[in-house]
Amino acid sequence: MLLDFHSHSGKRTPGEQVIQNLIIPLIGQDPGFDRDGSPDRWFSAGVHPWYIDEDKVGEQLTLLRELAGASNVKAVGECGLDRLRGPSLDLQQRVFEEQLLLAGTLGKPVIVHCVRCFAELVQTKRRLSVAVPLVVHGYNNKLAVARELLDQGFYFSFGSALLSEWGNAAKVIAEVPADRFFLETDDRDVSIRAVYEQAARIKKFRLISLKKLFLQPI
């Protein structure tokens, strides 16, 4: 069984399990989530920083609280901080912290979106004493930043960027311990098997061994 830790499409083939991401929408729109759906369909749910509605953020967080407690919602997120897009960082920070507190209450990991805000991310984890795993998804940043995040207890999820053998993602996954990363397709048109095969090549694992690491989310 291959686990796709973070997918926007939710598509899967036999032998795959997917955690499909639900972005909490503007109120009045259907989030596309069946609370009484099949328990073998897994989801994450969060208020993405790009889609924070300043006028309705309270309602967005209320909807998230309603969804996040469902047994087939395996993680909170994606949520986080983005210096290049979205409302003010102050508002992003407040919404992110609300979601971290919710995840702590539920005992569920957090799928983190972070763009040029890694210092703020580390400071937030320290200040709130976040105990649940924080997984920085789609990581393709510098190795030095990854080392700092590892030291601070963060996890990673790697996607299609791994397929560029000389990119940051490939360099970072080579150093990340096997129990500190996941693999994903995100919103890319790539198969999770291709991502696993590339990760196995870089880590010098047999694919079957790598699959065993990801049979269940954290």
PDB file of all heavy atoms in Angstrom, residues 93 117-129 154:
ATOM      1  N   GLN A  93      -1.149  34.487  10.755  1.00  0.00           N
ATOM      2  CA  GLN A  93      -0.591  33.927  11.987  1.00  0.00           C
ATOM      3  C   GLN A  93      -1.703  33.548  12.964  1.00  0.00           C
ATOM      4  O   GLN A  93      -1.683  32.464  13.561  1.00  0.00           O
ATOM      5  CB  GLN A  93       0.347  34.950  12.635  1.00  0.00           C
ATOM      6  CG  GLN A  93       1.032  34.471  13.900  1.00  0.00           C
ATOM      7  CD  GLN A  93       2.146  33.481  13.642  1.00  0.00           C
ATOM      8  OE1 GLN A  93       2.887  33.605  12.677  1.00  0.00           O
ATOM      9  NE2 GLN A  93       2.279  32.496  14.517  1.00  0.00           N
ATOM     10  N   CYS A 117       8.590  31.891   5.391  1.00  0.00           N
ATOM     11  CA  CYS A 117       8.194  32.205   6.768  1.00  0.00           C
ATOM     12  C   CYS A 117       8.722  31.147   7.736  1.00  0.00           C
ATOM     13  O   CYS A 117       8.095  30.872   8.763  1.00  0.00           O
ATOM     14  CB  CYS A 117       6.673  32.300   6.884  1.00  0.00           C
ATOM     15  SG  CYS A 117       5.933  33.743   6.097  1.00  0.00           S
ATOM     16  N   PHE A 118       9.863  30.561   7.433  1.00  0.00           N
ATOM     17  CA  PHE A 118      10.342  29.462   8.263  1.00  0.00           C
ATOM     18  C   PHE A 118      10.752  29.918   9.653  1.00  0.00           C
ATOM     19  O   PHE A 118      10.553  29.194  10.633  1.00  0.00           O
ATOM     20  CB  PHE A 118      11.483  28.724   7.561  1.00  0.00           C
ATOM     21  CG  PHE A 118      11.011  27.912   6.381  1.00  0.00           C
ATOM     22  CD1 PHE A 118      11.229  28.340   5.083  1.00  0.00           C
ATOM     23  CD2 PHE A 118      10.316  26.735   6.572  1.00  0.00           C
ATOM     24  CE1 PHE A 118      10.783  27.603   4.003  1.00  0.00           C
ATOM     25  CE2 PHE A 118       9.856  25.982   5.493  1.00  0.00           C
ATOM     26  CZ  PHE A 118      10.092  26.421   4.206  1.00  0.00           C
ATOM     27  N   ALA A 119      11.301  31.123   9.784  1.00  0.00           N
ATOM     28  CA  ALA A 119      11.646  31.629  11.111  1.00  0.00           C
ATOM     29  C   ALA A 119      10.392  31.778  11.957  1.00  0.00           C
ATOM     30  O   ALA A 119      10.365  31.388  13.135  1.00  0.00           O
ATOM     31  CB  ALA A 119      12.380  32.968  10.995  1.00  0.00           C
ATOM     32  N   GLU A 120       9.327  32.320  11.351  1.00  0.00           N
ATOM     33  CA  GLU A 120       8.069  32.475  12.070  1.00  0.00           C
ATOM     34  C   GLU A 120       7.466  31.115  12.430  1.00  0.00           C
ATOM     35  O   GLU A 120       6.888  30.950  13.517  1.00  0.00           O
ATOM     36  CB  GLU A 120       7.071  33.263  11.221  1.00  0.00           C
ATOM     37  CG  GLU A 120       7.403  34.728  11.035  1.00  0.00           C
ATOM     38  CD  GLU A 120       8.357  35.013   9.871  1.00  0.00           C
ATOM     39  OE1 GLU A 120       8.907  34.035   9.294  1.00  0.00           O
ATOM     40  OE2 GLU A 120       8.542  36.191   9.537  1.00  0.00           O
ATOM     41  N   LEU A 121       7.622  30.161  11.538  1.00  0.00           N
ATOM     42  CA  LEU A 121       7.100  28.816  11.786  1.00  0.00           C
ATOM     43  C   LEU A 121       7.775  28.186  12.999  1.00  0.00           C
ATOM     44  O   LEU A 121       7.111  27.649  13.897  1.00  0.00           O
ATOM     45  CB  LEU A 121       7.311  27.952  10.546  1.00  0.00           C
ATOM     46  CG  LEU A 121       6.841  26.502  10.618  1.00  0.00           C
ATOM     47  CD1 LEU A 121       5.343  26.424  10.885  1.00  0.00           C
ATOM     48  CD2 LEU A 121       7.206  25.763   9.334  1.00  0.00           C
ATOM     49  N   VAL A 122       9.092  28.268  13.054  1.00  0.00           N
ATOM     50  CA  VAL A 122       9.834  27.703  14.178  1.00  0.00           C
ATOM     51  C   VAL A 122       9.470  28.410  15.477  1.00  0.00           C
ATOM     52  O   VAL A 122       9.250  27.779  16.521  1.00  0.00           O
ATOM     53  CB  VAL A 122      11.349  27.781  13.911  1.00  0.00           C
ATOM     54  CG1 VAL A 122      12.142  27.431  15.169  1.00  0.00           C
ATOM     55  CG2 VAL A 122      11.743  26.846  12.766  1.00  0.00           C
ATOM     56  N   GLN A 123       9.387  29.746  15.422  1.00  0.00           N
ATOM     57  CA  GLN A 123       9.043  30.512  16.621  1.00  0.00           C
ATOM     58  C   GLN A 123       7.655  30.143  17.132  1.00  0.00           C
ATOM     59  O   GLN A 123       7.423  30.048  18.346  1.00  0.00           O
ATOM     60  CB  GLN A 123       9.121  32.009  16.316  1.00  0.00           C
ATOM     61  CG  GLN A 123      10.539  32.512  16.101  1.00  0.00           C
ATOM     62  CD  GLN A 123      10.578  33.901  15.464  1.00  0.00           C
ATOM     63  OE1 GLN A 123       9.544  34.549  15.286  1.00  0.00           O
ATOM     64  NE2 GLN A 123      11.779  34.364  15.121  1.00  0.00           N
ATOM     65  N   THR A 124       6.717  29.935  16.201  1.00  0.00           N
ATOM     66  CA  THR A 124       5.356  29.580  16.595  1.00  0.00           C
ATOM     67  C   THR A 124       5.320  28.224  17.284  1.00  0.00           C
ATOM     68  O   THR A 124       4.653  28.054  18.318  1.00  0.00           O
ATOM     69  CB  THR A 124       4.433  29.563  15.361  1.00  0.00           C
ATOM     70  OG1 THR A 124       4.422  30.864  14.763  1.00  0.00           O
ATOM     71  CG2 THR A 124       3.016  29.186  15.745  1.00  0.00           C
ATOM     72  N   LYS A 125       6.028  27.260  16.742  1.00  0.00           N
ATOM     73  CA  LYS A 125       6.069  25.927  17.356  1.00  0.00           C
ATOM     74  C   LYS A 125       6.624  25.997  18.770  1.00  0.00           C
ATOM     75  O   LYS A 125       6.091  25.382  19.704  1.00  0.00           O
ATOM     76  CB  LYS A 125       6.917  24.985  16.500  1.00  0.00           C
ATOM     77  CG  LYS A 125       6.958  23.538  17.011  1.00  0.00           C
ATOM     78  CD  LYS A 125       7.761  22.661  16.068  1.00  0.00           C
ATOM     79  CE  LYS A 125       7.672  21.183  16.432  1.00  0.00           C
ATOM     80  NZ  LYS A 125       8.267  20.872  17.737  1.00  0.00           N
ATOM     81  N   ARG A 126       7.698  26.773  18.935  1.00  0.00           N
ATOM     82  CA  ARG A 126       8.296  26.906  20.261  1.00  0.00           C
ATOM     83  C   ARG A 126       7.353  27.609  21.233  1.00  0.00           C
ATOM     84  O   ARG A 126       7.135  27.155  22.362  1.00  0.00           O
ATOM     85  CB  ARG A 126       9.600  27.704  20.161  1.00  0.00           C
ATOM     86  CG  ARG A 126      10.768  26.973  19.520  1.00  0.00           C
ATOM     87  CD  ARG A 126      11.928  27.938  19.390  1.00  0.00           C
ATOM     88  NE  ARG A 126      13.124  27.337  18.837  1.00  0.00           N
ATOM     89  CZ  ARG A 126      14.166  28.037  18.398  1.00  0.00           C
ATOM     90  NH1 ARG A 126      14.139  29.373  18.436  1.00  0.00           N
ATOM     91  NH2 ARG A 126      15.231  27.422  17.905  1.00  0.00           N
ATOM     92  N   ARG A 127       6.779  28.723  20.793  1.00  0.00           N
ATOM     93  CA  ARG A 127       5.957  29.546  21.679  1.00  0.00           C
ATOM     94  C   ARG A 127       4.701  28.816  22.137  1.00  0.00           C
ATOM     95  O   ARG A 127       4.302  28.938  23.294  1.00  0.00           O
ATOM     96  CB  ARG A 127       5.601  30.856  20.967  1.00  0.00           C
ATOM     97  CG  ARG A 127       4.727  31.802  21.777  1.00  0.00           C
ATOM     98  CD  ARG A 127       4.711  33.192  21.171  1.00  0.00           C
ATOM     99  NE  ARG A 127       4.458  33.155  19.743  1.00  0.00           N
ATOM    100  CZ  ARG A 127       3.238  33.024  19.205  1.00  0.00           C
ATOM    101  NH1 ARG A 127       2.177  32.921  19.983  1.00  0.00           N
ATOM    102  NH2 ARG A 127       3.082  33.007  17.889  1.00  0.00           N
ATOM    103  N   LEU A 128       4.088  28.057  21.236  1.00  0.00           N
ATOM    104  CA  LEU A 128       2.865  27.346  21.580  1.00  0.00           C
ATOM    105  C   LEU A 128       3.138  25.956  22.143  1.00  0.00           C
ATOM    106  O   LEU A 128       2.203  25.266  22.543  1.00  0.00           O
ATOM    107  CB  LEU A 128       1.966  27.216  20.345  1.00  0.00           C
ATOM    108  CG  LEU A 128       1.444  28.512  19.733  1.00  0.00           C
ATOM    109  CD1 LEU A 128       0.500  28.199  18.572  1.00  0.00           C
ATOM    110  CD2 LEU A 128       0.733  29.377  20.764  1.00  0.00           C
ATOM    111  N   SER A 129       4.409  25.553  22.168  1.00  0.00           N
ATOM    112  CA  SER A 129       4.778  24.209  22.639  1.00  0.00           C
ATOM    113  C   SER A 129       3.933  23.144  21.945  1.00  0.00           C
ATOM    114  O   SER A 129       3.315  22.293  22.586  1.00  0.00           O
ATOM    115  CB  SER A 129       4.619  24.108  24.158  1.00  0.00           C
ATOM    116  OG  SER A 129       5.447  25.032  24.822  1.00  0.00           O
ATOM    117  N   PHE A 154      10.402  19.027  13.299  1.00  0.00           N
ATOM    118  CA  PHE A 154       9.460  19.009  12.189  1.00  0.00           C
ATOM    119  C   PHE A 154       9.619  17.737  11.351  1.00  0.00           C
ATOM    120  O   PHE A 154      10.677  17.098  11.335  1.00  0.00           O
ATOM    121  CB  PHE A 154       9.671  20.225  11.281  1.00  0.00           C
ATOM    122  CG  PHE A 154       9.171  21.519  11.855  1.00  0.00           C
ATOM    123  CD1 PHE A 154       9.965  22.264  12.709  1.00  0.00           C
ATOM    124  CD2 PHE A 154       7.902  21.996  11.556  1.00  0.00           C
ATOM    125  CE1 PHE A 154       9.513  23.453  13.257  1.00  0.00           C
ATOM    126  CE2 PHE A 154       7.434  23.182  12.087  1.00  0.00           C
ATOM    127  CZ  PHE A 154       8.241  23.921  12.941  1.00  0.00           C
TER     128      PHE A 154
END
